[in-house]
Amino acid sequence: MPLTLGIDIGTYETKGVLVDHAGTVVASAARGHRMLVPQPGWAEHRPEEDWWGDFVFVCRTLLRESGVEASEIVAVACSAIGPCMLPVDHAGKPLMNGVLYGVDGRAEAEVRDLTEQIGEDTIIARCGNALTSQSVGPKILWLKRHRPEIYAQTAHVLTSTSFLVQRLTGEVVIDHYTAANFSPLYDVATQAWTDDLADDILDLDKLPRLLWSGDIAGHITAAAAAETGLAPGTPVTAGTIDAAAEAFSVGVDRPGDMMMMYGSTIFIILRTAERVADPRIWYAPWLFEGEHASMAGLATSGTLTHWFRDQLARDLDPADAFPALAAEAAASPPGANGLLMLPYFSGERTPIHDTNARGTFFGLNLTHTRGDMYRALIEGIACGTRHVTDTFAELGQAPERLLAVGGGTKNALWLQATSDITGIDQIVCEKTTGASYGDAFLAALAVGLVDRGDIAKWNPVATSVTAQSDPRYDRSYALFRRLYEQTKDIAAELGAL
């Protein structure tokens, strides 16, 4: 029986699945890891331990516990958090920790300098995206300025997925969807690397070879086989960012489809009929040639629920804390008894792109309970999400179909509050396995086991969430927007203390 293997490296956990040609999950495995925050505004992973180490562990666990022979696996695809920045030497050895995606804001000065040097309009026209904390180009410039000894040893700059593919196949590649986040080094019109806009960031020959996500990047080497237990010669796709694989896992595949991923952050992908250019959101070619997508993401979401549990619910058993907190929050009415929260605990990505934004509980008094605070936290994340969906609507890109994915879909309060505050119904598919399941489908697609439309058979719709109108939410959202505008200068000054 032919099987495909999908493995995804997330912010806090790695997941893998073995899937047959009909979409049945034959085996699954997971392993947790930490996000390192060496100083405020930074976010890192250890590439050897967290990326490759997790991949090997999950792969071997799947093979051992399923009893599957490695020869039964006909293709492998991986995804990972991104876009990341990882310099490696000529042997592919990491020279430092991997610098994570938009939650890492260390290159704020480089974003500003490159924007002033090139001009935002030019950057958007050529690269499809304004420079933000999500952009890899400024982080490479940060490396050059602040870690010159590492920069001098750098043979290639990889992202998380390309690091895994290189370990598996020896090939240094990256998919176009991920590469579009390397602004200002990627030209969306030519879909090629460019140094026309800034020739002092990095030699282009140090960037990976460009492929589409469904392309076969290479085959499992003897060395990789010895570590992972996979069969030498097994095809490996180019891979992609985890959010794209997760979107594909629930059938986001036509213009108007939107994925909302409830994870450590909220991440949104909207398939569009054409390129949409606006500095508030991100653009990338979709996983296949000639197709387009627009993206948005909050900086903290599920991360906030974990913070709240760890700091304000220490009396609860961590294994049962979230259901208990949800029950307390359900006893609080919409609007959390007059309590507002700004979810900007790590700055904010779209649509405000403000690394100085700070989290706030506003309106606290002695009558408020922990349940009120937890409800305000959930509603604050939902308000940040509405800020994004309103931005898409302003651009004429309101979604026709919204599919919810990720671990947060198990939180009924969060799902309902998001639908109520955004005014958008949500669809939840049968399998919420996530990006690793999308990887397995992309692997099957790459070797001809399935057609693109077969994802609807692999993962049919299970349920839906209907938006309920409540005027209290419209008022609280308006106040949410005002609160940010009126406190952002204070937040910036607090960051300098």
Side-chain angles (χ1 to χ4, degrees), residues 39-82:
Q39 64 183 67
W42 291 25
E44 299 178 353
H45 273 171
R46 303 167 301 168
E48 292 285 1
E49 297 90 341
D50 302 327
W51 297 348
W52 181 242
D54 274 18
F55 187 99
V56 170
F57 175 87
V58 167
C59 188
R60 285 198 166 274
T61 300
L62 288 169
L63 290 169
R64 183 182 66 254
E65 296 185 355
S66 68
V68 165
E69 295 292 334
S71 59
E72 296 180 68
I73 299 172
V74 298
V76 176
C78 57
S79 60
I81 50 164

Side-chain angles (χ1 to χ4, degrees), residues 305-329:
T305 65
H306 283 81
W307 170 86
F308 190 94
R309 180 198 65 185
D310 295 344
Q311 302 303 323
L312 301 176
R314 295 178 182 175
D315 57 308
L316 300 177
D317 182 343
D320 303 316
F322 288 131
L325 288 170
E328 292 180 18

Side-chain angles (χ1 to χ4, degrees), residues 210-270:
L210 291 160
L211 294 175
W212 296 100
S213 297
D215 291 342
I216 300 298
H219 299 79
I220 299 291
T221 65
E227 287 196 69
T228 62
L230 296 170
T234 305
V236 179
T237 72
T240 190
I241 292 175
D242 57 356
E246 188 139 18
F248 214 70
S249 79
V250 291
V252 172
D253 196 36
R254 64 176 185 259
D257 284 349
M258 175 182 278
M259 177 206 73
M260 187 173 294
M261 182 173 72
Y262 292 80
S264 55
T265 69
I266 289 283
F267 197 85
I268 292 171
I269 296 177
L270 176 67

Side-chain angles (χ1 to χ4, degrees), residues 19 48 54 85 141 322 335 352 359 367 387 420 454 467 480:
V19 182
E48 292 285 1
D54 274 18
M85 191 276 290
L141 183 57
F322 288 131
I352 61 175
T367 70
H387 199 173
D420 294 349
D454 288 338
F480 173 93

Side-chain angles (χ1 to χ4, degrees), residues 262-282:
Y262 292 80
S264 55
T265 69
I266 289 283
F267 197 85
I268 292 171
I269 296 177
L270 176 67
R271 280 278 287 111
T272 60
E274 57 189 5
R275 176 186 158 200
V276 178
D278 189 277
R280 293 171 293 178
I281 59 174
W282 303 307

Side-chain angles (χ1 to χ4, degrees), residues 16-334:
V17 289
L18 283 171
V19 182
D20 69 16
H21 68 284
T24 302
V25 177
V26 174
S28 62
R31 188 189 201 188
H33 51 250
R34 295 182 300 121
M35 181 178 75
L36 305 178
V37 183
Q39 64 183 67
W42 291 25
E44 299 178 353
H45 273 171
R46 303 167 301 168
E48 292 285 1
E49 297 90 341
D50 302 327
W51 297 348
W52 181 242
D54 274 18
F55 187 99
V56 170
F57 175 87
V58 167
C59 188
R60 285 198 166 274
T61 300
L62 288 169
L63 290 169
R64 183 182 66 254
E65 296 185 355
S66 68
V68 165
E69 295 292 334
S71 59
E72 296 180 68
I73 299 172
V74 298
V76 176
C78 57
S79 60
I81 50 164
C84 300
M85 191 276 290
L86 175 67
V88 300
D89 65 16
H90 287 282
K93 180 181 178 181
L95 297 170
M96 60 181 287
N97 282 342
V99 177
L100 301 195
Y101 50 101
V103 296
D104 184 286
R106 72 183 66 194
E108 181 181 3
E110 287 73 23
V111 167
R112 182 181 62 249
D113 293 347
L114 287 169
T115 300
E116 291 176 356
Q117 172 188 328
I118 303 166
E120 184 174 82
D121 291 344
T122 300
I123 294 169
I124 293 174
R126 291 287 303 279
C127 304
N129 301 286
L131 295 182
T132 69
S133 63
Q134 188 83 346
S135 308
V136 177
K139 290 175 182 177
I140 301 174
L141 183 57
W142 176 92
L143 179 73
K144 182 178 181 179
R145 288 178 174 178
H146 298 277
R147 300 290 186 272
E149 70 288 354
I150 294 177
Y151 183 88
Q153 299 175 62
T154 299
H156 291 103
V157 173
L158 306 180
T159 189
S160 47
T161 313
S162 52
F163 175 70
L164 293 173
V165 173
Q166 190 243 12
R167 279 298 179 90
L168 290 168
T169 69
E171 299 292 332
V172 180
V173 303
I174 192 171
D175 65 301
H176 286 270
Y177 177 82
T178 306
N181 295 280
F182 274 60
S183 302
L185 299 173
Y186 181 88
D187 188 311
V188 294
T190 62
Q191 294 182 337
W193 298 122
T194 181
D195 58 3
D196 291 352
L197 301 179
D199 60 6
D200 61 342
I201 297 177
L202 188 75
D203 293 337
L204 297 186
D205 60 3
K206 294 185 177 183
L207 293 171
R209 177 166 56 96
L210 291 160
L211 294 175
W212 296 100
S213 297
D215 291 342
I216 300 298
H219 299 79
I220 299 291
T221 65
E227 287 196 69
T228 62
L230 296 170
T234 305
V236 179
T237 72
T240 190
I241 292 175
D242 57 356
E246 188 139 18
F248 214 70
S249 79
V250 291
V252 172
D253 196 36
R254 64 176 185 259
D257 284 349
M258 175 182 278
M259 177 206 73
M260 187 173 294
M261 182 173 72
Y262 292 80
S264 55
T265 69
I266 289 283
F267 197 85
I268 292 171
I269 296 177
L270 176 67
R271 280 278 287 111
T272 60
E274 57 189 5
R275 176 186 158 200
V276 178
D278 189 277
R280 293 171 293 178
I281 59 174
W282 303 307
Y283 164 80
W286 188 226
L287 306 182
F288 308 96
E289 190 170 5
E291 299 180 2
H292 308 275
S294 291
M295 283 71 59
L298 307 189
T300 52
S301 302
T303 304
L304 278 179
T305 65
H306 283 81
W307 170 86
F308 190 94
R309 180 198 65 185
D310 295 344
Q311 302 303 323
L312 301 176
R314 295 178 182 175
D315 57 308
L316 300 177
D317 182 343
D320 303 316
F322 288 131
L325 288 170
E328 292 180 18
S332 178

